[in-house]
Amino acid sequence: MKLIRFLKYASLVYLLIPSLLFLLTWLHLGVGVIASFFIVIFVIKYIYQEQSTSCREVSRQYEHWWHIILMLLLSLLVNIILGIGEFKRQESDFVANNFKYYDLINHEWPLYYNHYKVHMCYYLGYYLPVAQLSKWFSIDNARYFALAWSALGLFFVFLWISTFIKRNGILLVLLFIIFPNGWLIYAAIDWLGWHREVFPHYFVLINDYYLVLSKFEDNWAWAPQHTLPAVLGACFVIETFLSKTINRSELVLMLLATMYWSPLASIGLFPFVLFFFLKDFQTLLELPRISELIWIVGLVIAFSPLMIYFISTEGVNNGNTGFVWNSGTPWWWVYYAVYVFANVGIWFFFLRRSPFEWSRLIYGSMIFMILLGIYKIGLYNDLNVRGVIPAYTIMSIGIAVWVINGWLNKRVGAYFLAMYLLLGGLQSIRNFWLQGINTDGPQTTIQKPFIGHYNSMLSFQESAYGDSTALKEYCLKKGGFFDKYLLKK
């Protein structure tokens, strides 16, 4: 089997496993079995038909066992250094993550909190397979299951990214890992002493309106549950662009499969899937395409219990939403312009001088990144922070390809951009090094997530947000459609 074909199949199965687990364990058995059965049939049909289509050829070096093992070892190393597996210090978000694991492992599904008298309503795709394995075997092994699950997904990502260039695939993966955000520009602003209160710690804060574009290293250390489906989905988008072959069934299947992992990742992937889906729109009305569309509609219906689940929360805190121009300062457009220049504009300045094969895809990613920051959802603007990951991934990989090719072709612009990229990447290199030599362990573990007087994920989140109304986002609405007709009792 060709490498690209293997990566497509393996990645789709990997992304689908949590959704199938949810359908079979959280829903009425009949509904769950029917939905899961249709999804499996759809996947088999997709694989059967995809076998007859052409597949992008890659350099044979990427199919060699030494390259594959190297990508697997790199994935393991990145995960271990950034705290997955509990060998190293973890970021503070893992206090909540470890509670999620613990609650899922030690309680029946669907997860019910007796103290709050509510069912959990949250995207748990990243956690569910690990929790299921830990239920079957032991919570003592949960840390190793978590490491294996994360490393496997990141292995697919690294191996796939390495194929996006004819030579120097390993270098491309390394540049992707250290690709910087706008921190150099923010650091210069801080050095000048201009509006420091708006640019603290390498992001933009307009009163309580956050504009954050995090590096891969930060995204993975803080939120692998969002990052993994986002970067894996971005690989499907790039593959579609490079192969110049649009498989609508594949893209829709990928998009729906990411939904239970992270709706924010799905939102970030949606514009790209929509673009390719509607490309050559006239062909959609041809007879073979109508049959494909009917199957896709059936797939969407099979995933509809998940969609209904997500909109069945008790509610969203309206105080954490709004447009950037309502952030409380007439200078918002200046600060937003700085955010755009630091994270997008500086790359565009170099790229526009020497357009190449990836340019249109990169420009599309840049436009989406600019637009996504306009509206805030969540206390820390999760829509911007997590929803932007697919577009940022596509942009960073594309620019890294441009830099490598430009360096080999001795373009002056590539030399300057390479220096900027590497200078900005020093922060990630430094962080990896310091985390690697740090001997501190995690604050909490999956086996012992308790901290202070908190004994569950909900009790911890209630304190973390400082507002009990914020818990509504994690709670299933009582008496709603999902609760009455779909939830397993």
Side-chain angles (χ1 to χ4, degrees), residues 265-300:
S266 301
I267 291 171
L269 290 164
F270 179 76
F272 301 98
V273 173
L274 182 64
F275 172 80
F276 286 118
F277 192 91
L278 296 179
K279 195 172 187 293
D280 301 325
F281 180 77
Q282 65 277 8
T283 63
L284 287 173
L285 303 179
E286 297 174 359
L287 190 59
R289 296 302 179 203
I290 292 175
S291 174
E292 182 184 20
L293 283 176
I294 292 173
W295 275 92
I296 290 174
V297 170
L299 183 68
V300 173

Side-chain angles (χ1 to χ4, degrees), residues 403-423:
V403 168
I404 294 172
N405 290 338
W407 187 282
L408 294 175
N409 293 326
K410 299 180 180 180
R411 288 201 298 263
V412 176
Y415 293 152
F416 281 107
L417 198 57
M419 286 187 288
Y420 180 81
L421 194 160
L422 292 174
L423 183 62

Side-chain angles (χ1 to χ4, degrees), residues 121-248:
C121 187
Y122 194 70
Y123 40 91
L124 298 168
Y126 177 73
Y127 312 94
L128 221 58
V130 173
Q132 184 62 71
L133 287 171
S134 301
K135 278 177 175 289
W136 285 339
F137 297 97
S138 169
I139 194 174
D140 298 342
N141 298 317
R143 56 184 291 204
Y144 304 111
F145 293 141
L147 175 60
W149 181 244
S150 293
L152 180 61
L154 193 57
F155 162 65
F156 293 150
V157 171
F158 285 169
L159 185 58
W160 208 337
I161 290 175
S162 71
T163 70
F164 291 148
I165 194 168
K166 291 182 179 179
R167 293 183 295 164
N168 302 302
I170 297 174
L171 176 60
L172 178 60
V173 173
L174 294 176
L175 290 180
F176 164 72
I177 292 173
I178 67 167
F179 195 89
N181 54 8
W183 77 269
L184 280 173
I185 305 298
Y186 300 154
I189 292 174
D190 181 70
W191 180 74
L192 291 172
W194 182 71
H195 290 242
R196 284 178 173 169
E197 72 282 0
V198 180
F199 302 96
H201 305 294
Y202 314 120
F203 59 87
V204 180
L205 179 59
I206 310 173
N207 293 324
D208 61 347
Y209 194 106
Y210 285 84
L211 288 170
V212 185
L213 194 148
S214 299
K215 310 183 299 296
F216 165 79
E217 161 235 335
D218 289 331
N219 281 323
W220 197 267
W222 284 89
Q225 71 273 23
H226 296 286
T227 310
L228 214 167
V231 295
L232 203 48
C235 288
F236 276 94
V237 172
I238 295 172
E239 185 61 41
T240 300
F241 180 82
L242 293 180
S243 67
K244 298 178 174 62
T245 302
I246 299 173
N247 189 323
R248 293 181 175 90

Side-chain angles (χ1 to χ4, degrees), residues 323-340:
F323 289 98
V324 64
W325 47 81
N326 295 325
S327 56
T329 172
W331 286 83
W332 68 266
W333 63 274
V334 176
Y335 304 140
Y336 197 78
V338 173
Y339 165 78
V340 170

